[in-house]
Amino acid sequence: MTDQTPVIDTLFKNLDQAMISDRHRLRRQLHDLRKKPDEGKLAQWVERARASMAQVTARRQSVPAIRYDDSLPIAAKRDEIKKILAEHQVLIIAGETGSGKTTQLPKICLELGRGQHGLIAHTQPRRIAARSVATRVAEELATPLGALVGYQVRFEDQSDANTLVKLMTDGILLAETQHDRFLERYDTIIVDEAHERSLNIDFLLGYLKTLLPRRPDLKVIITSATIDLERFSKHFNDAPIIEVSGRTYPVDVWYRPLTSEQDEEGNSVEDDLTVDQAIIATLDEIASFERSEGKRPGDVLVFLPGEREIRDAAEMLRKAQLRHTEILPLYARMVAKIDADWIEPLAGHLIKKNHFEPHWEKKRGQVVAYEQITLFGLIVVGRRPVHYGPIDPVVARELFIREGLVRGEIQSRAKCLVANRELLEQLDALEAKARRRDILADEETLYAFYDARVPAEIHQTATFDQWYKTESHKNPKLLIMREEDVLAREASEVTAGQYPDTLRLGDLTLALSYHFEPNHPRDGVTVSVPAPLLPALPNERLAWLVPPAHQRAGRGGQ
């Protein structure tokens, strides 16, 4: 068998003459033949490659003569557009209404040689626009709709294998990414009316940004009204921008106020007009003017503030039975609530999640944070509570220990928590008696106690209870604090003699309570006395209740 390496190297160089959709498969097969030569398989490969290249030739020869309407502003820019598009992968075109960008760009791309190695995809935000633009472009190229120029919308595909330019909705092209990740059916993509920034358009722009480095042969044109130009350019690594002006027409302004005419003295000549009356009067005036000028009746746009007003006006005009008049109410309704339930599974690799304000929630027994989900900068979910433990277990565990275990904000039956709470209450009572806050250790000491003993993977109540139930059977004193664990110093000065819990007055034994909070009404020592016994208490004895505490004596009733 002869050495086929030089032949295979030559074939590799010629692959760019094949259809883009065939190149990956042909390249992979050629790699296999280089590793394991086989003359029979090589001959078959050559036939497949020739067939693909012949398809490119046929597509090139099918391009019809291209003519432009020089009255359209974009026609004057076509040489500049072709030059920049030849030098750059992405081009932003800003065109006002009437500039001709939508119908002329596919022809400019064909003239540049695009559409030969793959389709020219031309997306529109709405189905009706995809059909109407396809019809218009086909007419200008003098070709039947569905042949060289076709369209595809939901449930309808008017195109074939020979189609060069294919109009479609943004959603149709986006759906193709699920089975054609690199969009290899296309050599050019035109995203029209991108300023509308629908969810599909945002999806598509983000997808194309990640695709372009992997498809250096792909050309992308973004068209927009004269807004968001710099943002689109920056999104595509400072892509060049060409601005095309719109076609203008003279406009006459006739002002017809709803308020009635007035005489010289300011008195109304007639009643004010309602909106419906004003519409009818204006239509009559326009019709009279057109007849006097010998003009054919034209279209009339009536702008109203809302859907209800539009419906009411349309109904009024139908009842008026105007001759040779068709009533077409148009309005846009925001149905804009974005459903994350279908976006997240569809675009899981494209969305970004941010989490903020992690905090402990006692009822849930978990650390909860708020989650924000964005898709190419568009907020899909603004503020959704989620379990923060799996997201950041270190921070979640710290908050669980600090808020749940140390501060007692936890719903748990673990006996260690009950025992520790009782111990801390006893020590807190010692501090109240001594009127000092240096006996009980601070929160950091308590945190360190739990942090050293609770496993690193535990950050919520449920797993804590499960772990503690199992381990406390082996070690009944697990997590139960001793005084030495939580005392900052010895409190030897606090004795029962110095700080009794009861006060004896004759045959009476009265309960004493201690509270250490300066400027609080209960600060100091309080004796609890049944109301009927209050008159019998000696005032001189109440002047001091316990030896070290002469600061305050309290009287109360129960």
Side-chain angles (χ1 to χ4, degrees), residues 282-302:
T282 301
L283 292 176
D284 289 341
E285 184 177 3
I286 292 173
S288 298
F289 174 77
E290 289 172 337
R291 286 194 298 270
S292 67
E293 295 289 319
K295 295 181 178 180
R296 297 178 58 188
D299 296 330
V300 178
L301 290 177
V302 180

Side-chain angles (χ1 to χ4, degrees), residues 74-137:
I74 197 171
K77 296 274 189 176
R78 65 178 182 266
D79 290 336
E80 182 183 359
I81 291 172
K82 287 191 290 186
K83 181 178 183 298
I84 293 180
L85 193 59
E87 297 171 352
H88 296 82
Q89 198 172 8
V90 182
L91 173 60
I92 313 296
I93 296 183
E96 298 175 358
T97 301
S99 65
K101 65 184 187 302
T102 296
T103 56
Q104 304 308 298
L105 277 175
K107 297 194 295 184
I108 293 174
C109 290
L110 286 174
E111 197 172 37
L112 192 61
R114 311 304 297 179
Q116 298 174 13
H117 295 85
L119 282 161
I120 297 173
H122 192 179
T123 72
Q124 295 292 316
R126 285 168 289 279
R127 286 178 284 179
I128 190 171
R131 283 192 292 262
S132 62
V133 172
T135 301
R136 180 64 178 173
V137 174

Side-chain angles (χ1 to χ4, degrees), residues 500 502-503 512 525-527 541-547 549-550 552-554:
T502 59
L503 174 67
L512 296 176
V525 186
T526 301
V527 59
R541 183 63 180 91
L542 294 179
W544 53 277
L545 296 178
V546 296
H550 299 292
R552 177 181 181 273

Side-chain angles (χ1 to χ4, degrees), residues 254 256-258 270 273-289 316-317 322:
W254 298 353
R256 299 293 183 266
L258 298 180
E270 56 187 10
L273 296 176
T274 65
V275 172
D276 289 350
Q277 290 171 336
I279 292 173
I280 292 290
T282 301
L283 292 176
D284 289 341
E285 184 177 3
I286 292 173
S288 298
F289 174 77
M316 178 273 297
L317 290 171
L322 302 174

Side-chain angles (χ1 to χ4, degrees), residues 419-478:
N420 292 345
R421 186 161 50 247
E422 291 175 352
L423 175 63
L424 294 176
E425 288 173 355
Q426 293 171 9
L427 297 177
D428 188 64
L430 284 180
E431 289 190 323
K433 289 179 177 180
R435 297 189 62 77
R436 301 181 63 168
R437 290 299 185 199
D438 60 351
I439 298 175
L440 182 61
D442 59 13
E443 281 192 356
E444 291 306 316
T445 303
L446 303 181
Y447 175 85
F449 173 85
Y450 287 113
D451 183 43
R453 294 164 175 81
V454 175
E457 67 273 13
I458 291 180
H459 46 64
Q460 61 178 334
T461 302
T463 50
F464 172 79
D465 282 346
Q466 185 178 11
W467 167 79
Y468 185 78
K469 183 178 180 180
T470 301
E471 296 301 317
S472 61
H473 283 301
K474 305 174 186 175
N475 179 10
K477 293 186 178 181
L478 178 65

